[in-house]
Amino acid sequence: MEQDLERVCCNFCGEDKPSLFLTENGFHLQRCTRCGLLYVNPRPGPDNPRLSHSHEYNEYIERYSRHSEMFVDEARRRLAQVMNWKEGGKLLDIGCAAGIFLDCARQKGWEVYGVEPDSRVAEYAINQLKLDVAICNFLKNQLPDNEFDAVTAHNIISHVPDPALFFREVMRVLKPGGIFIMHTGNGAELSSKEQGESLGERWVTPDHLYHFSENLLRKYLERAGFTIEQVQKIHIVDFLFSEENLATFKGSRMKSVLKTTVVKVPGLRKLSCALARLSVWAFTGSRLSKLALVARK
């Protein structure tokens, strides 16, 4: 396996003096001693199938068919966030998966386009939803300059081999004044792997090549030329107790039964979420969150 690995420097600052943060699945997640970025090093090469975050997409399609309304509700919430900044126009969703978000946007009058590297899930968007989706890597798609009014990337950036190039490409394809909205975690703000794991953080090494902090993402975007409009922190407890996450949870039988019960009793879900949020805030504050960033070209 060593022959298939590549050693990389810190993508943000270029430093090559990392310290070991954790080892998982035979791979090292390192912390840059200069800027704090967490990254897998050494890591699988760009064509290695272990870098694909879509190895369970067949199951994803099956889960969608069973819980479609949950996925649609989440897509509508994300679209509402976009429409707080842009009422319509041409929209690109990077890593669009089965196209559920794009379908919701199309129904609201957007001209939509998607990029998805995994053919298995992209074919659902193309054949079932009749969406304009390119089966390719966003960084290799050669989209025109100044093409889109809005670009979205939901939980994609941790899988991208070159985040700095990714942000530059998003800037290039956006129209002047266009909006970029992204979601990811802030695992790089944690002081230890145990701190995150005790609260439900999933490192998913080497599938997740990077873990960021809010400060680093701000700097990445500003370096690419963006103006930061808004940063929201969605506490990890709210994400873990979301109806979609609970209903599609994979784990032990006991945990699955417990979480299914919580899903079916909305009041119990709200109470459990509130109690968990209070206990977690006491230990980590906002250091374990899902980040939602809005930036303008």
Side-chain angles (χ1 to χ4, degrees):
M1 186 180 70
E2 290 293 335
Q3 294 179 350
D4 297 330
L5 301 182
E6 61 177 6
R7 182 171 179 82
V8 292
C9 299
C10 174
N11 182 262
F12 180 74
C13 70
E15 184 64 76
D16 191 21
K17 296 180 181 178
S19 62
L20 182 64
F21 185 74
L22 64 85
T23 299
E24 181 181 76
N25 299 324
F27 292 88
H28 302 313
L29 186 64
Q30 311 266 13
R31 186 192 294 278
C32 177
T33 55
R34 182 177 180 184
C35 70
L37 180 68
L38 289 177
Y39 61 102
V40 176
N41 185 39
R43 70 189 189 190
D47 298 322
N48 191 304
R50 295 204 64 171
L51 279 184
S52 171
H53 64 283
S54 55
H55 47 76
E56 295 180 343
Y57 269 152
N58 289 336
E59 183 179 343
Y60 167 83
I61 294 297
E62 182 183 346
R63 293 205 311 265
Y64 170 66
S65 66
R66 296 199 309 267
H67 308 285
S68 59
E69 196 58 36
M70 295 179 191
F71 285 83
V72 171
D73 286 344
E74 176 62 22
R76 287 171 177 163
R77 285 192 291 271
R78 290 176 174 175
L79 181 61
Q81 183 185 27
V82 175
M83 296 187 71
N84 284 335
W85 300 93
K86 287 282 184 182
E87 294 184 356
K90 194 169 185 178
L91 182 148
L92 168 67
D93 189 28
I94 304 170
C96 67
I100 303 162
F101 170 75
L102 286 177
D103 189 39
C104 289
R106 180 174 58 184
Q107 293 175 33
K108 289 294 185 178
W110 287 81
E111 181 184 353
V112 298
Y113 184 75
V115 174
E116 170 54 52
D118 193 285
S119 61
R120 292 167 295 177
V121 69
E123 286 169 359
Y124 183 91
I126 296 167
N127 299 326
Q128 300 299 318
L129 300 181
K130 309 302 180 184
L131 290 163
D132 189 358
V133 171
I135 304 175
C136 65
N137 186 312
F138 168 63
L139 297 181
K140 299 179 180 179
N141 194 38
Q142 300 298 312
L143 290 165
D145 295 352
N146 306 311
E147 182 75 5
F148 298 97
D149 298 283
V151 174
T152 55
H154 302 126
N155 302 311
I156 294 299
I157 192 63
S158 61
H159 305 283
V160 174
D162 189 342
L165 176 60
F166 179 89
F167 290 125
R168 292 197 301 271
E169 280 295 290
V170 173
M171 168 63 76
R172 183 183 64 80
V173 302
L174 269 174
K175 295 178 181 178
I179 287 293
F180 173 49
I181 297 181
M182 63 171 289
H183 297 82
T184 191
N186 66 334
E189 295 180 23
L190 297 171
S191 59
S192 69
K193 68 170 185 173
E194 291 80 13
Q195 185 183 46
E197 290 168 352
S198 65
L199 300 169
E201 174 67 288
R202 296 174 63 239
W203 302 107
V204 199
T205 304
D207 193 16
H208 289 183
L209 293 173
Y210 292 96
H211 295 271
F212 304 87
S213 66
E214 177 188 345
N215 184 53
L216 274 172
L217 286 172
R218 285 178 176 272
K219 290 179 177 178
Y220 262 115
L221 289 164
E222 290 168 351
R223 180 185 289 177
F226 286 98
T227 299
I228 307 297
E229 295 284 359
Q230 184 184 70
V231 179
Q232 292 181 309
K233 283 194 171 182
I234 306 163
H235 204 280
I236 192 68
V237 170
D238 296 289
F239 170 74
L240 292 175
F241 278 83
S242 68
E243 188 176 4
E244 176 186 336
N245 190 62
L246 288 169
T248 58
F249 174 77
K250 290 178 62 180
S252 69
R253 183 177 180 83
M254 182 178 295
K255 287 182 179 180
S256 296
V257 170
L258 175 63
K259 289 202 168 191
T260 300
T261 302
V262 173
V263 166
K264 292 182 178 180
V265 185
L268 179 59
R269 184 171 75 247
K270 291 180 180 179
L271 176 61
S272 301
C273 181
L275 293 174
R277 190 189 301 114
L278 285 173
S279 64
V280 170
W281 272 111
F283 293 99
T284 65
S286 61
R287 286 175 292 171
L288 192 60
S289 308
K290 300 292 286 186
L291 297 172
L293 293 92
V294 181
R296 189 184 300 274
K297 179 172 178 176

